[in-house]
Amino acid sequence: MTLTLCTWDSWNEKVWQQIKPIYEEAFIHGAKPEKIIRQMLDRKIAFLHAGYEGDELVAMALTGLGRSDQQQTMIIDYMAIRHDRRGRGEGRLFFNILRDWGIAHHRIDAIIIEAEAEDTQENRERIIFWEKCGFLPTSYVHHYIWIPETYRALVLPLQPDFQITDDGQSIFAQITDFHERSFRKQKSNTLADSNKNKV
């Protein structure tokens, strides 16, 4: 089985319409609205990825880069395999391709994800999947003010000198910063922009 990765750093409506069913099926709760994803790509905050087997779309992901003085990190915001293709090992294969893309194009030192921290069977299975991909769970549990679920960060170090210096709060600070940048309203950059609709 071979998957081909295609990546976009700007909005492509045709591609999104192909990816959208996989995204909406996988992320019923906690999905970012389409308008926000479009905004993230327009602002160059995120990358939209698609995994193809031949011409058939089987996977999608939305990623971004973390902001840290010491290391370059990649944040996987969303990653999903088409529901009828799950259980075939394509999730790990697609993740490995994403990892290699991050290393080749952005020289990343680590990959970060967040997973729901509540102890349920579904959440345990999700964490087990990421651990099989090499991720290490951190102990810090984060409470977002706008959603009831709690989350935990998982980290995949890619460089031998990458270190987690705390219980995961610094890692989560990068995730929180990424989300805040995603939802932040765009400000006008010039006086002309702010006055363009005035008579």
Side-chain angles (χ1 to χ4, degrees), residues 1-42:
M1 178 195 341
T2 303
L3 292 183
T4 302
L5 181 71
C6 293
T7 298
W8 293 266
D9 65 355
S10 58
W11 184 258
N12 183 311
E13 183 66 26
K14 182 179 178 183
V15 169
W16 174 250
Q17 290 306 320
Q18 294 171 355
I19 287 173
K20 186 176 178 180
I22 299 175
Y23 175 72
E24 290 184 340
E25 187 275 331
F27 304 106
I28 297 167
H29 304 292
K32 285 185 171 80
E34 179 180 319
K35 175 179 142 186
I36 297 299
I37 295 174
R38 179 192 294 262
Q39 179 177 283
M40 291 165 71
L41 289 162
D42 287 345

Side-chain angles (χ1 to χ4, degrees), residues 7-8 20 24-25 29 31 46 48 65 74 80 82 87 92 96 102 108 116 118 120 130-131 145 147 166 176 183 197:
T7 298
W8 293 266
K20 186 176 178 180
E24 290 184 340
E25 187 275 331
H29 304 292
L48 187 63
L65 298 176
M74 181 171 81
R82 207 174 71 202
R92 286 184 70 179
N96 289 340
I108 55 173
E116 290 185 21
E118 185 183 355
T120 67
W130 290 115
E131 287 179 329
I145 58 172
I147 52 175
D166 56 21
T176 303
F183 283 94
N197 292 325

Side-chain angles (χ1 to χ4, degrees), residues 68-97:
S68 169
D69 294 336
Q70 288 78 35
Q71 296 104 2
Q72 176 78 298
T73 58
M74 181 171 81
I75 297 168
I76 298 180
D77 199 10
Y78 299 99
M79 188 185 99
I81 304 301
R82 207 174 71 202
H83 68 92
D84 61 330
R85 302 284 297 229
R86 294 176 190 163
R88 304 181 184 189
E90 289 177 325
R92 286 184 70 179
L93 176 60
F94 184 58
F95 166 72
N96 289 340
I97 295 169

